[in-house]
Amino acid sequence: MTGEALIVLENVNKWFGPLHVLQDVDLSVARGEVVVVIGPSGSGKSTLCRAINRLEPINSGTITFDGQPLPAEGRALARLRSEVGMVFQSFNLFAHKTILQNVMLGPVKVRREKASVVRDRAMGLLERVGIANQADKYPAQLSGGQQQRVAIARALAMQPKALLFDEPTSALDPEMVGEVLDVMTSLAREGMTMVVVTHEMGFARHAADRVVFMADGQLVEQAAPEEFFANPRSDRAKDFLSKILTH
Amino acid sequence: MSVLVDKFDVFAGGFWLTFQICVLAAIGALILGAVVAVLRISPVPPLRAVGTAYVTIFRNMPLTVVMFFSAFALPALGSNADFLRIPVLDVVFTRLSTDLPYFRFALIALTLYTAAFVCEALRSGINAVPPGQAEAARSLGLTFGQNLRYVVLPQSWKASIVPLGSVIIAMIKNSALIGFFGVVGDLSASADQLTGAEGYAFIPVAIGISIGYLIMTVPLGALLDRIERRQAVAAR
């Protein structure tokens, strides 16, 4: 938890119609820190994650990334997004492109890097997530776990300053969760700045620097994982943990 | 039925003129419709408003009224639509450059009207692409234009092509109106000419012009069915 703040949210509020999904949220994520956001469904975790690269615009408050406030829609925002990787619950690989093309699209079109250079890097990343031999297949031909690992490789290909994970394992069959979490854990060890919304308490325990607990749009409690799981302070967190950890 | 043989040249000439205006209007409507569709899905609210206003006006006004506006308002504004005297193109489509401007006026009306429907057909295809695709593209840092070009449009055309075809077929049939707005000698105006001025019986003439329209619309419909079947197989 050392180092300067990379992502800072101050007083962030967001409404969906009458629903106040983010209520005065303050959160600061340091460079190299892994923050895991947990909480019951509908607590605003995903919205918080998506607000950081403005996929979800906020109604009030400020979000700064690497010292710069989030720009409004346009080229400046596109540039910022290129520095923040995002991994979605439903993978969202480009269905009409091969695995390799999926990984190469961002660097070639957004960064205008040379295709030959990008190809080498992309193959290296696919190697790393263990699917280099599937590079010429289309997303629909891969299992969910493989698709999600490609999605991580696609985000990494942009050499982002931070990665956002929006419930990356929630749409996976149980036996495929591990392979995705392994990749995420190794990224965390290497010092990637990560904000991870998840229900995987095991991952939160062993990979997080800090656990953030959200409920009803509020950031209720945050602490180091050992402390949070052993000694939750708020009743809301105690209640949540008692429900998920009894089985 | 001898009129079909005796006046074959009139039918053929009418067919050719209708075919010409349909080709030109289809090209114009596809281009303009694509532009309006991009406006309608643009992230910039004023551009969206312009696109929506366009569709609201031209989709909801009868084509006859659009034709009236084109044929009477343009001259009143001092325009003979001379910008449509396009070099090279007017070698094949000779009516583009005639002194009588009514072919050009009719072409403008047909294009403006059809573009609204083209826009909506394209948009229905774009809406058929799962929103996660565009979201993933945005989160990589692709701009709006890049997003459309590399991610959304390549996936949307499949869902657009069949409704687009229906729009073009409707346009071919709508072109039957142009004879009433000063365009001499298109397929349906030929019927008027033959039955009115030359006294031929109506039914054989009507059969003749029907065949003319069917020659254009039936193959187009068959092509669409084929594309649709191929897609259904590909989707499995």
Side-chain angles (χ1 to χ4, degrees):
Chain A
M1 297 237 329
T2 51
E4 72 207 280
L6 183 63
I7 304 167
V8 180
L9 290 80
E10 278 174 323
N11 249 324
V12 169
N13 281 282
K14 163 88 185 170
W15 281 267
F16 285 125
L19 196 64
H20 199 171
V21 283
L22 294 179
Q23 304 180 16
D24 293 321
V25 171
D26 291 300
L27 178 68
S28 169
V29 181
R31 226 175 267 280
E33 193 183 13
V34 177
V35 172
V36 171
V37 184
I38 62 174
S41 306
S43 58
K45 317 183 290 290
S46 283
T47 311
L48 174 78
C49 185
R50 292 162 56 84
I52 294 172
N53 67 355
R54 210 174 182 278
L55 281 181
E56 214 65 83
I58 55 174
N59 296 104
S60 71
T62 55
I63 300 178
T64 53
F65 181 82
D66 206 7
Q68 306 235 317
L70 285 198
E73 205 70 45
R75 278 182 192 281
L77 181 62
R79 204 170 309 123
L80 177 131
R81 282 175 175 153
S82 74
E83 298 181 341
V84 187
M86 177 122 192
V87 176
F88 299 87
Q89 179 175 354
S90 48
F91 329 136
N92 295 347
L93 295 181
F94 304 129
H96 62 305
K97 292 191 177 292
T98 65
I99 299 311
L100 183 60
Q101 287 168 341
N102 262 278
V103 180
M104 288 177 64
L105 183 75
V108 171
K109 297 303 177 193
V110 176
R111 294 268 160 76
R112 311 216 174 272
E113 293 179 64
K114 270 179 67 182
S116 55
V117 178
V118 176
R119 180 183 303 271
D120 291 343
R121 191 164 82 230
M123 284 309 293
L125 287 167
L126 288 175
E127 195 81 55
R128 166 171 189 179
V129 299
I131 21 189
N133 55 344
Q134 320 266 14
D136 293 322
K137 289 193 178 168
Y138 284 88
Q141 296 170 288
L142 268 56
S143 73
Q146 290 172 323
Q147 289 191 49
Q148 195 61 299
R149 285 183 281 151
V150 174
I152 294 173
R154 177 175 69 178
L156 288 174
M158 295 299 286
Q159 299 170 318
K161 292 178 181 162
L163 279 180
L164 309 174
F165 292 83
D166 185 5
E167 303 205 18
T169 56
S170 298
L172 296 175
D173 291 338
E175 78 269 25
M176 292 169 183
V177 169
E179 63 195 49
V180 172
L181 291 181
D182 285 346
V183 172
M184 290 167 60
T185 306
S186 81
L187 283 172
R189 296 239 164 82
E190 284 167 26
M192 174 60 81
T193 310
M194 294 162 66
V195 175
V196 184
V197 173
T198 188
H199 294 291
E200 296 297 332
M201 296 305 141
F203 178 80
R205 248 182 230 278
H206 71 251
D209 294 315
R210 182 160 42 126
V211 172
V212 169
F213 177 74
M214 281 188 77
D216 304 321
Q218 285 167 329
L219 214 153
V220 178
E221 178 167 352
Q222 42 183 320
E226 325 59 86
E227 190 188 328
F228 175 80
F229 286 107
N231 245 330
R233 277 165 291 156
S234 62
D235 292 339
R236 201 75 183 75
K238 282 176 193 159
D239 179 53
F240 177 74
L241 288 176
S242 72
K243 278 176 185 149
I244 56 165
L245 295 180
T246 46
H247 297 289
Chain B
M1 292 297 280
S2 62
V3 62
L4 295 183
V5 180
D6 298 345
K7 292 291 175 181
F8 180 76
D9 57 329
V10 177
F11 288 112
F15 175 85
W16 173 229
L17 189 65
T18 292
F19 184 74
Q20 283 184 49
I21 199 165
C22 288
V23 168
L24 291 171
I27 294 170
L30 287 173
I31 295 171
L32 183 59
V35 171
V36 179
V38 170
L39 290 179
R40 279 207 79 174
I41 58 170
S42 146
V44 186
L47 295 182
R48 272 208 301 275
V50 170
T52 307
Y54 182 94
V55 171
T56 307
I57 291 169
F58 286 101
R59 190 170 60 169
N60 296 317
M61 216 160 41
L63 176 57
T64 322
V65 177
V66 180
M67 290 260 181
F68 267 117
F69 270 112
S70 184
F72 294 101
L74 283 177
L77 292 170
S79 169
N80 256 345
D82 288 326
F83 64 90
L84 283 174
R85 298 184 183 223
I86 305 161
V88 186
L89 210 58
D90 66 1
V91 177
V92 183
F93 304 98
T94 47
R95 288 283 185 109
L96 280 178
S97 292
T98 50
D99 287 336
L100 267 180
Y102 294 108
F103 181 86
R104 296 194 290 275
F105 290 158
L107 176 59
I108 289 172
L110 201 54
T111 300
L112 289 177
Y113 178 81
T114 309
F117 294 89
V118 167
C119 163
E120 293 304 277
L122 290 173
R123 230 164 47 86
S124 76
I126 289 168
N127 288 338
V129 178
Q133 296 283 307
E135 247 176 27
R138 274 193 282 156
S139 74
L140 277 179
L142 272 74
T143 60
F144 173 70
Q146 290 176 321
N147 196 340
L148 279 183
R149 188 163 152 209
Y150 300 118
V151 176
V152 175
L153 291 182
Q155 297 186 71
S156 75
W157 74 268
K158 281 183 186 165
S160 295
I161 195 105
V162 171
L164 263 186
S166 303
V167 168
I168 299 302
I169 288 175
M171 187 205 73
I172 292 171
K173 298 187 292 177
N174 286 337
S175 77
L177 269 180
I178 64 173
F180 303 99
F181 292 89
V183 179
V184 179
D186 84 302
L187 200 47
S188 62
S190 312
D192 228 27
Q193 161 75 17
L194 291 171
T195 55
E198 302 188 26
Y200 284 99
F202 179 73
I203 289 176
V205 171
I207 290 174
I209 63 163
S210 301
I211 292 171
Y213 282 107
L214 292 176
I215 288 173
M216 286 181 268
T217 51
V218 170
L220 191 51
L223 179 71
L224 291 173
D225 284 348
R226 236 187 94 129
I227 293 170
E228 202 179 8
R229 262 202 308 279
R230 282 236 312 263
Q231 279 176 14
V233 173
R236 256 183 251 143

